[in-house]
Coordinates of all heavy atoms in Angstrom, one line a residue:
M72 N 26.2 107.9 48.3 CA 26.9 106.9 47.4 C 26.9 105.5 48.0 O 27.2 105.4 49.2 CB 28.3 107.4 47.2 CG 28.6 107.7 45.7 SD 30.3 107.8 45.3 CE 31.0 109.2 46.2
G73 N 26.5 104.6 47.2 CA 26.5 103.2 47.7 C 27.9 102.6 47.7 O 28.8 103.2 47.2
N74 N 28.0 101.4 48.4 CA 29.3 100.8 48.5 C 29.8 100.3 47.2 O 31.0 100.4 46.9 CB 29.2 99.5 49.5 CG 29.2 100.0 50.9 OD1 29.6 101.1 51.2 ND2 28.8 99.1 51.8
K75 N 28.9 99.9 46.3 CA 29.3 99.5 45.0 C 30.0 100.6 44.2 O 31.0 100.4 43.6 CB 28.1 98.9 44.2 CG 27.8 97.5 44.4 CD 26.8 96.9 43.5 CE 26.5 95.5 43.8 NZ 25.4 94.9 43.0
T76 N 29.4 101.8 44.3 CA 29.9 103.0 43.6 C 31.3 103.3 44.1 O 32.2 103.6 43.4 CB 28.9 104.2 43.7 OG1 27.6 103.7 43.4 CG2 29.3 105.3 42.8
K77 N 31.4 103.3 45.5 CA 32.7 103.6 46.1 C 33.7 102.6 45.6 O 34.9 103.0 45.3 CB 32.5 103.6 47.6 CG 31.9 104.8 48.2 CD 31.9 104.7 49.7 CE 31.0 105.9 50.3 NZ 30.7 105.6 51.7
G78 N 33.4 101.4 45.6 CA 34.3 100.3 45.2 C 34.7 100.5 43.8 O 35.9 100.3 43.5
L79 N 33.8 100.8 42.9 CA 34.1 101.0 41.5 C 35.0 102.2 41.3 O 36.0 102.2 40.6 CB 32.8 101.3 40.7 CG 32.8 101.1 39.2 CD1 33.3 99.7 38.8 CD2 31.5 101.4 38.6
L80 N 34.7 103.3 42.0 CA 35.6 104.5 42.0 C 37.0 104.2 42.5 O 38.0 104.7 41.9 CB 35.0 105.7 42.8 CG 33.7 106.3 42.1 CD1 33.2 107.4 43.1 CD2 34.1 107.0 40.8
A81 N 37.1 103.4 43.5 CA 38.4 103.0 44.1 C 39.1 102.2 43.0 O 40.3 102.4 42.8 CB 38.2 102.2 45.4
L82 N 38.4 101.3 42.4 CA 39.0 100.5 41.4 C 39.5 101.3 40.2 O 40.6 101.1 39.7 CB 38.0 99.4 40.9 CG 38.6 98.2 40.3 CD1 39.4 97.4 41.3 CD2 37.4 97.3 39.8
L83 N 38.7 102.2 39.8 CA 39.0 103.1 38.6 C 40.2 104.0 39.0 O 41.2 104.2 38.2 CB 37.8 104.0 38.3 CG 36.8 103.4 37.4 CD1 35.6 104.4 37.3 CD2 37.3 103.1 36.1
G84 N 40.2 104.5 40.3 CA 41.4 105.3 40.7 C 42.7 104.5 40.7 O 43.7 105.0 40.3
L85 N 42.5 103.2 41.2 CA 43.7 102.3 41.2 C 44.2 102.1 39.8 O 45.4 102.1 39.6 CB 43.3 101.0 41.9 CG 44.4 100.2 42.5 CD1 45.1 101.0 43.6 CD2 43.8 98.9 43.1
G86 N 43.3 101.8 38.9 CA 43.6 101.6 37.5 C 44.3 102.8 36.9 O 45.3 102.7 36.2
A87 N 43.8 104.0 37.2 CA 44.3 105.2 36.6 C 45.7 105.4 37.2 O 46.7 105.8 36.4 CB 43.4 106.4 37.0
F88 N 45.9 105.2 38.5 CA 47.2 105.3 39.1 C 48.2 104.3 38.5 O 49.3 104.7 38.2 CB 47.1 105.1 40.6 CG 48.4 105.1 41.3 CD1 49.1 106.3 41.4 CD2 49.0 104.0 41.8 CE1 50.4 106.3 42.1 CE2 50.2 104.0 42.4 CZ 50.9 105.2 42.6
A89 N 47.8 103.1 38.3 CA 48.7 102.0 37.8 C 49.1 102.4 36.4 O 50.2 102.3 36.0 CB 48.0 100.7 37.8
Y90 N 48.1 102.9 35.6 CA 48.4 103.3 34.2 C 49.4 104.5 34.2 O 50.3 104.5 33.4 CB 47.1 103.8 33.5 CG 47.3 104.2 32.1 CD1 47.5 103.3 31.1 CD2 47.2 105.5 31.7 CE1 47.7 103.6 29.8 CE2 47.4 105.9 30.4 CZ 47.6 105.0 29.4 OH 47.8 105.4 28.1
W91 N 49.2 105.5 35.0 CA 50.0 106.7 35.1 C 51.5 106.2 35.5 O 52.4 106.6 34.9 CB 49.5 107.6 36.2 CG 50.4 108.8 36.4 CD1 50.5 109.9 35.7 CD2 51.4 108.9 37.5 NE1 51.5 110.7 36.2 CE2 52.0 110.1 37.3 CE3 51.8 108.0 38.5 CZ2 53.0 110.6 38.2 CZ3 52.8 108.5 39.4 CH2 53.4 109.7 39.2
K92 N 51.5 105.3 36.5 CA 52.8 104.8 37.0 C 53.5 104.1 35.8 O 54.7 104.2 35.6 CB 52.6 103.9 38.2 CG 53.8 103.7 39.0 CD 53.5 102.9 40.3 CE 54.8 102.7 40.9 NZ 54.9 101.6 41.7
Y93 N 52.8 103.2 35.1 CA 53.3 102.5 34.0 C 53.8 103.4 32.9 O 54.9 103.3 32.4 CB 52.2 101.6 33.4 CG 52.6 100.8 32.1 CD1 53.4 99.7 32.2 CD2 52.2 101.3 30.9 CE1 53.8 99.0 31.0 CE2 52.5 100.6 29.7 CZ 53.3 99.5 29.8 OH 53.7 98.8 28.6
K94 N 53.1 104.5 32.5 CA 53.4 105.4 31.5 C 54.7 106.2 31.9 O 55.5 106.6 31.0 CB 52.3 106.4 31.2 CG 51.2 105.9 30.3 CD 51.8 105.7 28.9 CE 50.9 104.9 28.0 NZ 51.5 104.3 26.9
N95 N 54.9 106.4 33.2 CA 56.1 107.2 33.7 C 57.2 106.3 34.1 O 58.2 106.8 34.6 CB 55.6 108.1 34.8 CG 54.7 109.2 34.3 OD1 55.2 110.0 33.5 ND2 53.5 109.2 34.8
S96 N 57.1 105.0 33.8 CA 58.3 104.1 34.2 C 59.2 103.9 33.0 O 58.8 104.2 31.9 CB 57.7 102.8 34.7 OG 56.9 102.2 33.8
S97 N 60.4 103.4 33.3 CA 61.4 103.2 32.2 C 60.9 102.1 31.3 O 60.1 101.3 31.6 CB 62.7 102.9 32.9 OG 62.6 101.6 33.5
A98 N 61.6 102.0 30.2 CA 61.3 100.9 29.2 C 61.5 99.5 29.8 O 60.7 98.6 29.6 CB 62.2 101.1 28.0
E99 N 62.5 99.4 30.7 CA 62.8 98.1 31.3 C 61.6 97.7 32.2 O 61.2 96.6 32.3 CB 64.1 98.1 32.1 CG 65.3 98.2 31.3 CD 65.8 99.6 31.0 OE1 65.3 100.5 31.7 OE2 66.6 99.8 30.1
E100 N 61.2 98.7 33.0 CA 60.1 98.5 33.9 C 58.8 98.1 33.2 O 58.0 97.2 33.6 CB 59.8 99.7 34.8 CG 60.9 99.9 35.9 CD 60.8 101.2 36.6 OE1 60.4 102.2 36.0 OE2 61.1 101.2 37.8
Q101 N 58.6 98.8 32.1 CA 57.4 98.5 31.2 C 57.5 97.1 30.7 O 56.5 96.4 30.7 CB 57.3 99.6 30.1 CG 56.8 100.9 30.6 CD 56.5 101.9 29.4 OE1 56.6 101.5 28.3 NE2 56.2 103.1 29.8
Q102 N 58.7 96.7 30.3 CA 58.8 95.4 29.7 C 58.6 94.3 30.8 O 58.0 93.3 30.5 CB 60.2 95.2 29.1 CG 60.4 93.9 28.3 CD 59.4 93.8 27.2 OE1 59.2 94.6 26.4 NE2 58.7 92.6 27.2
A103 N 59.0 94.6 32.0 CA 58.8 93.7 33.1 C 57.3 93.5 33.4 O 56.8 92.4 33.6 CB 59.5 94.2 34.4
V104 N 56.6 94.6 33.3 CA 55.1 94.5 33.5 C 54.5 93.7 32.4 O 53.7 92.8 32.6 CB 54.5 96.0 33.5 CG1 53.0 95.9 33.5 CG2 54.9 96.7 34.8
K105 N 54.9 93.9 31.1 CA 54.4 93.2 30.0 C 54.7 91.7 30.2 O 53.9 90.8 29.9 CB 55.0 93.7 28.7 CG 54.4 95.0 28.2 CD 55.1 95.4 26.9 CE 54.7 96.9 26.6 NZ 55.6 97.4 25.6
D106 N 55.9 91.4 30.6 CA 56.3 90.0 30.8 C 55.4 89.3 31.9 O 55.0 88.2 31.7 CB 57.8 89.9 31.3 CG 58.7 90.2 30.1 OD1 58.3 90.3 29.0 OD2 59.9 90.5 30.4
K107 N 55.2 90.1 33.0 CA 54.3 89.5 34.0 C 52.9 89.2 33.5 O 52.3 88.2 33.8 CB 54.1 90.6 35.2 CG 55.1 90.4 36.3 CD 54.8 91.3 37.4 CE 56.0 91.3 38.4 NZ 55.8 92.4 39.4
I108 N 52.4 90.2 32.7 CA 51.0 90.0 32.1 C 51.1 88.8 31.1 O 50.2 87.9 31.2 CB 50.6 91.2 31.4 CG1 50.3 92.3 32.4 CG2 49.3 91.0 30.5 CD1 50.1 93.7 31.8
N109 N 52.1 88.7 30.3 CA 52.2 87.5 29.4 C 52.3 86.2 30.1 O 51.7 85.2 29.7 CB 53.3 87.7 28.4 CG 53.0 88.8 27.3 OD1 51.8 89.0 27.0 ND2 54.0 89.5 26.8
N110 N 53.1 86.2 31.2 CA 53.3 85.0 32.0 C 51.9 84.6 32.6 O 51.6 83.4 32.6 CB 54.3 85.2 33.1 CG 55.7 85.1 32.6 OD1 55.9 84.5 31.5 ND2 56.6 85.5 33.4
A111 N 51.2 85.6 33.1 CA 49.9 85.3 33.7 C 49.0 84.7 32.6 O 48.2 83.7 32.9 CB 49.3 86.5 34.3
K112 N 49.0 85.3 31.4 CA 48.2 84.8 30.3 C 48.5 83.4 29.9 O 47.7 82.5 29.7 CB 48.3 85.7 29.1 CG 47.3 86.8 28.9 CD 47.3 87.4 27.5 CE 47.6 88.8 27.6 NZ 47.9 89.5 26.3
D113 N 49.8 83.1 29.8 CA 50.3 81.8 29.5 C 49.8 80.7 30.5 O 49.4 79.7 30.2 CB 51.8 81.7 29.4 CG 52.4 82.5 28.2 OD1 51.5 82.8 27.3 OD2 53.6 82.7 28.1
N114 N 50.0 81.1 31.8 CA 49.6 80.2 32.9 C 48.1 79.9 32.8 O 47.6 78.8 33.0 CB 50.0 80.8 34.2 CG 51.5 80.7 34.5 OD1 52.2 80.0 33.8 ND2 52.0 81.5 35.4
L115 N 47.3 81.0 32.5 CA 45.8 80.8 32.4 C 45.5 79.9 31.2 O 44.7 79.0 31.4 CB 45.2 82.2 32.2 CG 44.4 82.8 33.3 CD1 43.9 84.2 33.0 CD2 43.3 81.9 33.8
N116 N 46.2 80.1 30.1 CA 45.9 79.3 28.9 C 46.3 77.8 29.2 O 45.6 76.9 28.9 CB 46.7 79.8 27.7 CG 46.1 81.1 27.2 OD1 45.0 81.4 27.4 ND2 46.9 81.8 26.5
K117 N 47.4 77.6 29.9 CA 47.9 76.3 30.2 C 46.9 75.6 31.1 O 46.5 74.5 30.9 CB 49.3 76.4 30.9 CG 50.1 75.1 30.9 CD 51.5 75.4 31.3 CE 52.0 74.2 32.1 NZ 51.7 74.2 33.5
W118 N 46.4 76.4 32.1 CA 45.4 75.9 33.1 C 44.2 75.5 32.4 O 43.6 74.4 32.6 CB 45.2 76.9 34.1 CG 44.3 76.5 35.2 CD1 44.5 75.5 36.2 CD2 43.0 77.0 35.5 NE1 43.5 75.4 37.0 CE2 42.5 76.3 36.7 CE3 42.2 78.0 34.9 CZ2 41.2 76.6 37.2 CZ3 40.9 78.2 35.5 CH2 40.5 77.5 36.6
G119 N 43.7 76.4 31.4 CA 42.5 76.1 30.6 C 42.7 74.9 29.8 O 41.8 74.0 29.7
N120 N 43.9 74.7 29.2 CA 44.1 73.5 28.3 C 44.2 72.3 29.2 O 43.7 71.2 28.7 CB 45.4 73.7 27.5 CG 45.2 74.7 26.4 OD1 44.1 74.9 25.9 ND2 46.3 75.3 26.0
D121 N 44.8 72.3 30.4 CA 44.8 71.2 31.3 C 43.4 70.7 31.6 O 43.1 69.6 31.6 CB 45.6 71.5 32.6 CG 47.1 71.6 32.3 OD1 47.5 71.2 31.2 OD2 47.8 72.1 33.3
L122 N 42.6 71.7 31.9 CA 41.2 71.4 32.3 C 40.5 70.8 31.1 O 39.7 69.8 31.3 CB 40.4 72.7 32.6 CG 40.5 73.2 34.1 CD1 39.7 74.4 34.3 CD2 40.1 72.1 35.1
K123 N 40.7 71.3 29.9 CA 40.1 70.7 28.7 C 40.5 69.3 28.5 O 39.7 68.4 28.2 CB 40.5 71.6 27.4 CG 39.4 72.6 27.0 CD 39.7 73.2 25.7 CE 40.2 74.6 25.9 NZ 40.7 75.3 24.7
D124 N 41.8 69.1 28.6 CA 42.4 67.7 28.5 C 41.7 66.8 29.5 O 41.3 65.7 29.1 CB 43.9 67.7 28.7 CG 44.6 68.4 27.5 OD1 44.0 68.6 26.5 OD2 45.8 68.7 27.7
K125 N 41.6 67.2 30.7 CA 41.0 66.4 31.8 C 39.6 66.0 31.4 O 39.2 64.9 31.5 CB 41.1 67.1 33.1 CG 42.5 67.0 33.8 CD 42.4 67.4 35.2 CE 43.8 67.3 35.8 NZ 44.5 68.5 36.2
A126 N 38.9 67.1 31.0 CA 37.5 66.9 30.6 C 37.3 65.9 29.4 O 36.5 65.0 29.4 CB 36.8 68.2 30.2
N127 N 38.2 66.0 28.4 CA 38.2 65.1 27.3 C 38.5 63.7 27.7 O 37.9 62.8 27.2 CB 39.2 65.6 26.2 CG 38.6 66.9 25.5 OD1 37.4 67.1 25.4 ND2 39.5 67.6 24.9
N128 N 39.5 63.6 28.6 CA 39.9 62.2 29.1 C 38.7 61.6 29.8 O 38.4 60.4 29.5 CB 41.1 62.3 30.1 CG 42.4 62.6 29.3 OD1 42.5 62.4 28.1 ND2 43.4 63.0 30.1
V129 N 38.0 62.3 30.6 CA 36.9 61.8 31.4 C 35.8 61.4 30.4 O 35.2 60.3 30.4 CB 36.3 62.8 32.4 CG1 35.0 62.4 32.9 CG2 37.3 63.0 33.5
A130 N 35.5 62.3 29.4 CA 34.5 62.0 28.4 C 34.8 60.8 27.6 O 34.0 59.9 27.3 CB 34.4 63.2 27.4
S131 N 36.1 60.6 27.2 CA 36.4 59.4 26.4 C 36.4 58.1 27.3 O 36.0 57.1 26.8 CB 37.8 59.5 25.7 OG 38.8 59.5 26.7
Q132 N 36.7 58.2 28.6 CA 36.6 57.1 29.5 C 35.1 56.7 29.6 O 34.8 55.5 29.6 CB 37.2 57.4 30.8 CG 38.7 57.4 30.9 CD 39.3 57.9 32.2 OE1 38.5 58.1 33.2 NE2 40.6 58.2 32.2
V133 N 34.3 57.7 29.7 CA 32.8 57.4 29.8 C 32.4 56.7 28.6 O 31.6 55.7 28.6 CB 32.0 58.7 30.1 CG1 30.5 58.5 29.9 CG2 32.3 59.2 31.5
Q134 N 32.8 57.3 27.4 CA 32.4 56.7 26.1 C 32.9 55.2 26.0 O 32.2 54.4 25.6 CB 33.0 57.5 25.0 CG 32.4 57.2 23.6 CD 30.9 57.3 23.5 OE1 30.3 58.3 23.8 NE2 30.2 56.2 23.2
D135 N 34.1 55.0 26.4 CA 34.7 53.6 26.4 C 33.8 52.7 27.3 O 33.5 51.6 26.9 CB 36.1 53.6 27.0 CG 37.1 54.3 26.0 OD1 36.7 54.5 24.8 OD2 38.2 54.5 26.4
K136 N 33.4 53.1 28.5 CA 32.5 52.3 29.3 C 31.2 52.1 28.7 O 30.7 50.9 28.7 CB 32.3 53.0 30.7 CG 33.5 52.9 31.6 CD 33.4 51.6 32.4 CE 34.5 51.4 33.4 NZ 35.4 50.4 33.1
V137 N 30.6 53.1 28.1 CA 29.3 52.9 27.4 C 29.4 51.9 26.3 O 28.6 51.0 26.1 CB 28.8 54.3 26.8 CG1 27.6 54.1 25.9 CG2 28.5 55.2 28.0
D138 N 30.5 52.0 25.5 CA 30.7 51.1 24.4 C 30.9 49.6 24.9 O 30.4 48.7 24.3 CB 32.0 51.5 23.6 CG 31.7 52.7 22.8 OD1 30.6 53.1 22.6 OD2 32.7 53.4 22.3
E139 N 31.7 49.5 26.0 CA 31.9 48.2 26.6 C 30.6 47.6 27.1 O 30.3 46.4 26.8 CB 32.8 48.5 27.8 CG 33.5 47.3 28.4 CD 34.4 47.6 29.6 OE1 35.3 48.5 29.4 OE2 34.2 47.0 30.7
V140 N 29.8 48.3 27.8 CA 28.5 47.9 28.2 C 27.6 47.5 27.1 O 26.9 46.4 27.1 CB 27.8 48.9 29.1 CG1 26.3 48.5 29.4 CG2 28.6 49.1 30.4
K141 N 27.6 48.3 26.0 CA 26.8 48.1 24.8 C 27.2 46.8 24.1 O 26.4 46.0 23.8 CB 26.9 49.3 23.9 CG 25.7 49.5 22.9 CD 25.7 50.8 22.3 CE 26.9 50.9 21.3 NZ 26.9 52.2 20.5
N142 N 28.5 46.6 24.0 CA 29.1 45.4 23.4 C 28.7 44.1 24.2 O 28.3 43.1 23.6 CB 30.6 45.5 23.2 CG 31.0 46.5 22.2 OD1 30.2 46.8 21.3 ND2 32.2 47.0 22.2
K143 N 28.8 44.2 25.5 CA 28.4 43.1 26.4 C 27.0 42.7 26.2 O 26.6 41.6 26.1 CB 28.8 43.4 27.8 CG 30.2 43.2 28.2 CD 30.5 43.4 29.6 CE 32.0 43.2 29.9 NZ 32.3 43.8 31.2
A144 N 26.1 43.8 26.1 CA 24.7 43.6 26.0 C 24.4 42.9 24.7 O 23.6 42.0 24.6 CB 24.0 44.9 26.1
E145 N 25.1 43.4 23.6 CA 24.8 42.8 22.3 C 25.3 41.4 22.2 O 24.6 40.5 21.6 CB 25.6 43.7 21.2 CG 24.9 45.0 20.9 CD 25.7 45.9 20.0 OE1 26.9 45.5 19.6 OE2 25.2 47.0 19.7
E146 N 26.4 41.1 22.9 CA 26.9 39.7 22.9 C 25.9 38.8 23.6 O 25.7 37.7 23.2 CB 28.3 39.6 23.6 CG 29.4 40.1 22.8 CD 30.7 40.3 23.6 OE1 30.8 39.7 24.7 OE2 31.6 41.0 23.1
Q147 N 25.4 39.3 24.7 CA 24.4 38.5 25.5 C 23.1 38.2 24.7 O 22.5 37.2 24.8 CB 24.1 39.1 26.8 CG 25.2 39.0 27.8 CD 25.0 39.7 29.1 OE1 24.0 40.5 29.2 NE2 25.9 39.6 30.1
M148 N 22.7 39.2 23.9 CA 21.5 39.1 23.0 C 21.7 38.0 21.9 O 20.8 37.3 21.6 CB 21.1 40.4 22.4 CG 20.5 41.3 23.3 SD 20.1 42.9 22.4 CE 19.1 43.7 23.6
N149 N 23.0 38.0 21.4 CA 23.3 37.0 20.3 C 23.6 35.7 20.9 O 23.1 34.8 21.1 CB 24.5 37.5 19.5 CG 24.3 38.8 18.8 OD1 23.1 39.1 18.5 ND2 25.3 39.5 18.5

C-alpha cells in the first residue's frame, strides 16, 4: 500500500469516527458543531468578499489611471 492510500484510509477513518461521534452526541453538542461549521463558512465568505472588494478597488484604480493618462494624451493632441 502506498503512502497516499494509507493517508486516504486514515482520513476516511477519521471522518467515519467524527461522524459516529457526532451522531451519538447530544442535541446541544450537535448544534455546537453546526455553529462552528457555519461560523467557519461565514468567515470564509467574508474573507472571499474582502478579497473581491480589494481586487475591484485595485481594478478601478488602474482604470482611473488609464483614463487619466488617456485624457492627458488627448489634451496634448488637441
Side-chain angles (χ1 to χ4, degrees):
M72 242 197 295
N74 281 346
K75 275 189 180 172
T76 310
K77 282 182 189 167
L79 196 61
L80 286 175
L82 203 62
L83 281 172
L85 202 62
F88 175 71
Y90 180 75
W91 173 84
K92 201 172 172 208
Y93 174 78
K94 279 291 170 203
N95 289 299
S96 57
S97 69
E99 290 89 15
E100 287 171 327
Q101 288 186 4
Q102 191 54 54
V104 170
K105 285 179 190 165
D106 290 346
K107 267 188 192 168
I108 290 169
N109 285 333
N110 280 344
K112 264 195 236 167
D113 289 346
N114 288 340
L115 253 176
N116 287 338
K117 199 169 142 278
W118 185 67
N120 288 335
D121 286 352
L122 276 181
K123 261 189 256 173
D124 289 346
K125 282 192 178 112
N127 287 336
N128 286 344
V129 168
S131 69
Q132 283 172 11
V133 168
Q134 190 57 55
D135 290 347
K136 280 276 180 247
V137 168
D138 291 343
E139 197 180 303
V140 169
K141 205 166 66 176
N142 289 338
K143 278 184 184 166
E145 283 171 0
E146 283 171 16
Q147 284 174 355
M148 283 179 171
N149 295 337

